């Protein structure tokens, strides 16, 4: 049976959406008060946090693991598509940050005005970001949700962005105005790296990359009494979330009932090792010969 984690995912996304809206508003207000480019860029980063939560809610609504007539393999790739949307939002944020920093260098601008009360407000923002990141990551790992894990990675980058902005604004407060512009560039790099990490984590699922080494599946299958060999092994999906396995199984069985029992034993061992998993086995007679474990 496939575990449906959508209710938990939606609950977490709603909680983090409200917290991200609070953080975004606080950063925007302080950024407007002080005229800080790096802080306004950080607020833009937080806009993507909220947009990601909305996108995640939409994706999780349609990402049921249960098959139906139109989607016999379930709908879980909607979550991976949602995670790619997060990567796209991060790319846009990176571009906007760099554009603003370059314009400030070329055209100049008003000096940044910062005071201790604004710095204390940013410490509150930092605390909220830390809570959101660790909360989303913990629940995402527990229920196996790529959308929560991806969003937690994004929020984790937001933590480092906010820390760098706070140190930069402390420097501005001490008289180093140029720190605000300089720190806008590493903010952009952190945003880009976060998006690239999300992309790397979800593309294998979308392009049906191998989920389990065929040698591992072969070792388990051939350990079952009655199995002579197996070949043409294929797997896709995400371990711990949902995996699909296909194989051809050569069995030493005098009748269909015995062959069926052997395949049931193979499926049971694979379920125990890689749960949740859906398995399709094509049974072949002992005279069949093939040493091709996987596809070349």
């Amino acid at each position: 049976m496939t575990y449906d984690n959508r209710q938990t995912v939606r609950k977490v996304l709603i909680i983090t959406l409200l917290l991200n809206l609070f953080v975004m508003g606080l950063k925007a207000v302080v950024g407007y008060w002080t005229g800080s480019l790096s802080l306004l860029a950080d607020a833009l980063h937080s806009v993507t946090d909220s947009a990601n939560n909305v996108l995640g809610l939409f994706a999780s609504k349609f990402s049921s693991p249960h098959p139906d007539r139109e989607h016999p393999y379930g709908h879980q790739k909607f979550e991976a598509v949602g995670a790619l949307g997060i990567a796209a939002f991060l790319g846009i944020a990176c571009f906007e940050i760099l554009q603003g920093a370059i314009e400030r260098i070329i055209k100049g601008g008003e000096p940044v005005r910062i005071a201790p009360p604004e710095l204390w407000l940013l410490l509150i923002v930092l605390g909220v970001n830390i809570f959101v990141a660790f909360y989303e990551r913990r629940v995402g790992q527990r229920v196996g949700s790529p959308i929560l894990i991806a969003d937690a990675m994004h929020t984790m980058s937001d933590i480092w962005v906010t820390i760098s902005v706070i140190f930069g604004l402390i420097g501005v407060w001490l008289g180093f105005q140029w720190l605000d512009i300089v720190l806008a560039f590493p903010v952009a790099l952190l945003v880009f790296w976060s998006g690239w990490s999300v992309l790397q984590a979800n593309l294998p699922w979308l392009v049906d990359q191998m989920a389990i080494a065929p040698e591992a599946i072969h070792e388990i299958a051939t350990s079952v009494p009655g199995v002579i060999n197996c070949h043409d092994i294929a797997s896709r999906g995400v371990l711990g979330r949902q995996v699909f396995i296909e194989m051809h199984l050569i069995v030493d069985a005098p009748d269909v009932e015995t062959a069926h029992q052997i395949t049931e034993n193979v499926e049971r061992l694979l379920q125990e090792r890689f749960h949740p998993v859906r398995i399709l086995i094509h049974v072949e007679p002992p005279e069949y010969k093939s040493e091709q474990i996987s596809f070349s």
Side-chain angles (χ1 to χ4, degrees):
M1 179 181 295
T2 303
Y3 172 58
D4 189 347
N5 65 3
R6 289 179 298 160
Q7 184 175 356
T8 301
V9 170
R10 283 195 292 268
K11 176 184 175 182
V12 173
L13 287 174
I14 290 171
I15 292 173
T16 55
L17 172 61
L18 295 175
L19 291 173
N20 283 330
L21 287 172
F22 168 75
V23 164
M24 178 188 68
L26 200 54
K27 286 179 182 177
V29 169
V30 177
Y32 178 77
W33 281 346
T34 62
S36 168
L37 177 64
S38 60
L39 186 52
L40 288 173
D42 197 12
L44 177 62
H45 194 198
S46 294
V47 170
T48 66
D49 284 328
S50 301
N52 295 339
N53 294 142
V54 174
L55 179 62
L57 287 168
F58 177 81
S60 66
K61 178 178 176 62
F62 295 100
S63 63
S64 169
H66 304 300
D68 57 29
R69 180 180 176 85
E70 288 76 24
H71 303 87
Y73 294 99
H75 312 73
Q76 289 177 302
K77 284 188 179 180
F78 277 105
E79 277 210 36
V81 171
L84 292 187
I86 289 177
F89 276 124
L90 290 169
I92 295 170
C94 177
F95 173 78
E96 292 291 337
I97 293 168
L98 290 175
Q99 184 182 45
I102 293 171
E103 286 181 357
R104 179 70 68 86
I105 292 173
I106 296 172
K107 300 179 181 179
E110 293 293 325
V112 178
R113 304 170 304 277
I114 190 72
E118 285 89 356
L119 294 174
W120 282 110
L121 288 175
L122 291 180
L123 287 177
I124 295 174
V125 165
L126 180 61
V128 174
N129 280 340
I130 292 173
F131 170 79
V132 168
F134 283 92
Y135 173 59
E136 272 195 305
R137 187 176 66 176
R138 180 173 58 83
V139 178
Q141 290 174 342
R142 177 168 58 84
V143 302
S145 170
I147 198 75
L148 288 184
I149 294 172
D151 199 39
M153 290 174 65
H154 180 198
T155 307
M156 190 65 71
S157 73
D158 214 19
I159 292 173
W160 293 110
V161 169
T162 303
I163 289 174
S164 67
V165 168
I166 289 173
F167 277 107
L169 291 178
I170 291 174
V172 170
W173 179 46
L174 295 174
F176 302 99
Q177 285 284 333
W178 52 268
L179 270 176
D180 186 58
I181 298 176
V182 169
L183 283 174
F185 288 96
V187 167
L189 290 177
L190 285 169
V191 172
F192 175 80
W193 177 253
S194 180
W196 176 249
S197 300
V198 170
L199 190 65
Q200 282 185 312
N202 288 276
L203 269 182
W205 192 0
L206 289 172
V207 300
D208 289 334
Q209 182 175 308
M210 175 188 69
I212 305 167
E215 293 78 10
I217 297 173
H218 181 273
E219 182 180 357
I220 292 173
T222 53
S223 70
V224 175
V227 174
I228 298 175
N229 202 359
C230 60
H231 61 97
D232 289 346
I233 302 170
S235 66
R236 60 186 178 88
V238 177
L239 276 173
R241 181 71 169 125
Q242 177 69 72
V243 175
F244 299 88
I245 297 176
E246 300 174 7
M247 72 173 74
H248 289 227
L249 196 68
I250 303 172
V251 298
D252 184 11
D255 50 51
V256 174
E257 184 178 354
T258 304
H260 173 73
Q261 185 58 52
I262 293 172
T263 60
E264 287 283 307
N265 292 337
V266 171
E267 290 180 357
R268 177 177 53 81
L269 289 180
L270 291 173
Q271 283 281 0
E272 290 174 358
R273 178 73 178 275
F274 304 115
H275 175 81
V277 59
R278 284 172 59 182
I279 306 164
L280 178 63
I281 297 178
H282 176 77
V283 177
E284 292 172 335
E287 294 80 16
Y288 192 92
K289 303 294 182 182
S290 177
E291 299 298 328
Q292 183 175 324
I293 294 179
S294 185
F295 298 92
S296 59

